[in-house]
């Protein structure tokens, strides 16, 4: 299929582009590059050996989005594009609602106008709200921040679209904590500012860009007191998107929700020590107070995806750390401008 990947220059989007090409699909990328560097595209072309058509504009622009479907032959869409910083969403709710929902409105309208009926939507475990130990897809959804609400709302919007237009085939993919990098070390996670997330922060400490890791609390009700999360290697996550996309071509279900996670929890200290093993030395860290909004435990029940997609995570926490370290040590400052 010829697949439009929105946010295809981003962390998960770029890894999914590689997986799609490897599975024999053709790609078109649309990205406004507000949180990604154009350098990524060159890296993707080198990795895939293919020219990758890129359209650089903001998907909330209804006319440009509609025009894209006039000039490009598109069979399916994987929609990653969106703002995703929890803390920032609390400060700028209107930007988050306008951007994340507006881009989905423009995209789905253009799809329907051109008879493009397959959509894979990048949702998040954040829609499970608070503690998510073994969350299953039938759990009611809610959020505790505007970013999370944009995901809850987009899922509802897409369910309602599918009721009105049952010819649609929609996958709602709920990610847990994506980490890692392609084994080549040429693409990886490159936060534009100080990393909010644990793994890129540890990687920047290891490469000398940050002084030390702050561990946000060790008084949670978890085995070692630090936060437990379901880390999933981004290459496994990308494979889950390909499996979901191909399932849409074969299912009669208009809307399909799948958790993409390992089903296993890893604590902050466990991840830190695994990373120290990958680097071969101890990394400076200190225990500080809890971060507002954090939950103690969050991990998936991925059995629905395992059964219905024939997909499961393959890569270990050690591989997540080794692959992250290879990317970070080969690209200490991330992607060049
Ligand atoms: C993981 C653990 C922290 C940084 C977030 C979003 C979620 C999703 C994934 C988009 C927690 C601890 C972290 C640090 C630390 N994003 N930590 N020191 O919060 O589980 O999920 O990213 O969908 O919506 O909320 O990920 O990596 O920020 O935190 O101790 O410097 O690491 O307390 O226990 P999180 P995270």
């Amino acid at each position: 299929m010829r697949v439009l990947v929105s946010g295809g220059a981003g962390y998960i989007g770029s890894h999914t582009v590689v997986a799609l090409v490897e599975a024999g699909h053709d790609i078109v990328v649309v990205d406004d590059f507000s949180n990604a560097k154009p350098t990524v595209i060159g890296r993707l072309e080198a990795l895939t050996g293919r020219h990758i058509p890129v359209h650089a504009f903001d998907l909330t622009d209804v006319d440009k989005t509609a025009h894209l479907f006039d000039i490009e032959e598109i069979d399916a869409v994987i929609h990653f594009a969106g703002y995703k910083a929890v803390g920032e969403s609390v400060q700028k709710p209107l930007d988050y609602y306008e951007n994340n929902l507006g881009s989905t409105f423009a995209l789905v309208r253009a799809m329907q106008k051109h008879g493009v009926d397959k959509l894979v939507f990048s949702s998040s475990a954040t829609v499970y709200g608070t503690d998510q130990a073994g969350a299953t897809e039938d759990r009611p959804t809610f959020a505790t921040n505007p970013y999370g609400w944009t995901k809850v709302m987009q899922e509802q919007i897409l369910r309602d679209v599918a009721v009105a237009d049952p010819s649609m085939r929609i996958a709602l993919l709920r990610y847990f904590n994506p980490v890692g990098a392609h084994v080549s070390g040429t693409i990886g996670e490159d936060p534009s500012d100080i990393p909010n997330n644990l793994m890129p922060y540890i990687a920047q400490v290891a490469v000398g860009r940050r002084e030390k890791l702050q561990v946000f609390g060790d008084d949670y009700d978890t085995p070692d007191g630090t936060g437990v999360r379901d880390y999933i290697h981004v290459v496994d996550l990308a494979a889950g998107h390909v499996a979901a996309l191909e399932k849409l071509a074969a299912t009669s279900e208009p809307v399909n929700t799948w958790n993409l996670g390992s089903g296993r929890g890893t604590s902050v200290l466990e991840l830190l020590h695994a990373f120290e093993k990958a680097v071969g030395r101890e990394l400076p860290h200190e225990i500080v107070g809890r971060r507002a909004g954090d939950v103690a435990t969050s991990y998936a029940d991925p059995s629905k995806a395992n059964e219905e997609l024939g997909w499961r995570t393959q890569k270990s926490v050690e591989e997540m750390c080794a692959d992250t370290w290879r990317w970070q040590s080969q690209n200490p400052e991330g992607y060049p401008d």
Side-chain angles (χ1 to χ4, degrees):
M1 289 180 266
R2 194 153 198 266
V3 186
L4 173 67
V5 182
S6 81
Y11 172 44
I12 304 169
S14 58
H15 284 82
T16 303
V17 163
V18 174
L20 284 164
V21 170
E22 283 172 355
H25 298 288
D26 295 318
I27 305 294
V28 179
V29 165
V30 57
D31 202 306
D32 67 0
F33 292 99
S34 63
N35 193 27
K37 299 239 178 86
T39 324
V40 178
I41 302 302
R43 299 280 178 95
L44 287 176
E45 294 192 326
L47 265 183
T48 59
R50 304 272 294 275
H51 166 62
I52 299 193
V54 178
H55 298 267
F57 65 85
D58 179 341
L59 282 167
T60 58
D61 182 322
V62 176
D63 295 336
K64 284 184 180 171
T65 303
H67 182 62
L68 175 62
F69 283 72
D70 290 331
I71 59 174
E72 290 284 8
E73 185 56 46
I74 294 164
D75 302 314
V77 176
I78 301 186
H79 183 28
F80 293 105
Y83 297 159
K84 64 159 193 113
V86 169
E88 185 184 52
S89 77
V90 176
Q91 309 306 322
K92 303 176 179 174
L94 282 179
D95 291 358
Y96 269 67
Y97 287 116
E98 192 167 43
N99 181 67
N100 290 7
L101 272 59
S103 59
T104 300
F105 295 149
L107 201 50
V108 175
R109 284 193 187 283
M111 287 177 69
Q112 292 188 314
K113 185 176 165 213
H114 289 78
V116 179
D117 61 356
K118 284 175 280 297
L119 171 63
V120 175
F121 174 65
S122 159
S123 189
S124 166
T126 206
V127 304
Y128 290 119
T130 56
D131 273 345
Q132 305 136 21
T136 50
E137 291 83 351
D138 55 350
R139 279 261 190 98
T141 58
F142 71 103
T144 54
N145 58 76
Y147 160 75
W149 280 117
T150 70
K151 292 298 187 183
V152 170
M153 292 174 184
Q154 288 177 90
E155 286 197 1
Q156 187 55 51
I157 289 161
L158 292 172
R159 281 192 289 269
D160 291 342
V161 164
V163 167
D165 178 1
S167 73
M168 291 295 284
R169 293 289 178 269
I170 296 171
L172 306 176
L173 301 184
R174 294 171 178 171
Y175 314 157
F176 282 72
N177 291 60
V179 294
H182 187 269
V183 69
S184 63
T186 61
I187 58 174
E189 187 171 13
D190 183 22
S192 46
D193 205 336
I194 301 172
N196 294 309
N197 295 137
L198 179 64
M199 183 69 108
Y201 202 101
I202 292 175
Q204 290 192 11
V205 169
V207 82
R209 278 176 70 181
R210 306 281 164 208
E211 188 209 338
K212 67 178 146 186
L213 172 72
Q214 294 188 311
V215 176
F216 296 145
D218 67 347
D219 59 349
Y220 285 102
D221 181 14
T222 62
D224 66 13
T226 64
V228 169
R229 296 292 184 275
D230 185 330
Y231 296 100
I232 172 173
H233 196 295
V234 67
V235 170
D236 282 338
L237 186 58
H241 284 71
V242 175
L245 176 69
E246 293 175 350
K247 180 74 177 180
L248 290 186
T251 183
S252 57
E253 282 297 321
V255 182
N256 307 265
T257 307
W258 290 297
N259 287 336
L260 295 186
S262 72
R264 282 186 313 280
T266 301
S267 78
V268 176
L269 289 177
E270 283 170 335
L271 195 70
L272 176 64
H273 296 326
F275 206 93
E276 289 174 332
K277 241 191 269 166
V279 176
R281 61 183 148 87
E282 286 195 4
L283 297 173
H285 65 281
E286 66 170 327
I287 309 288
V288 297
R290 294 182 176 189
R291 177 173 66 177
D294 273 352
V295 297
T297 299
S298 165
Y299 58 85
D301 174 340
S303 48
K304 188 166 182 276
N306 300 155
E307 284 148 27
E308 295 180 4
L309 299 180
W311 167 90
R312 63 180 59 246
T313 53
Q314 307 288 330
K315 292 178 180 285
S316 64
V317 170
E318 289 67 29
E319 284 176 279
M320 295 173 201
C321 294
D323 293 344
T324 301
W325 178 231
R326 187 180 305 107
W327 148 257
Q328 190 74 82
S329 50
Q330 288 178 8
N331 304 270
E333 297 302 317
Y335 289 109
D337 288 325

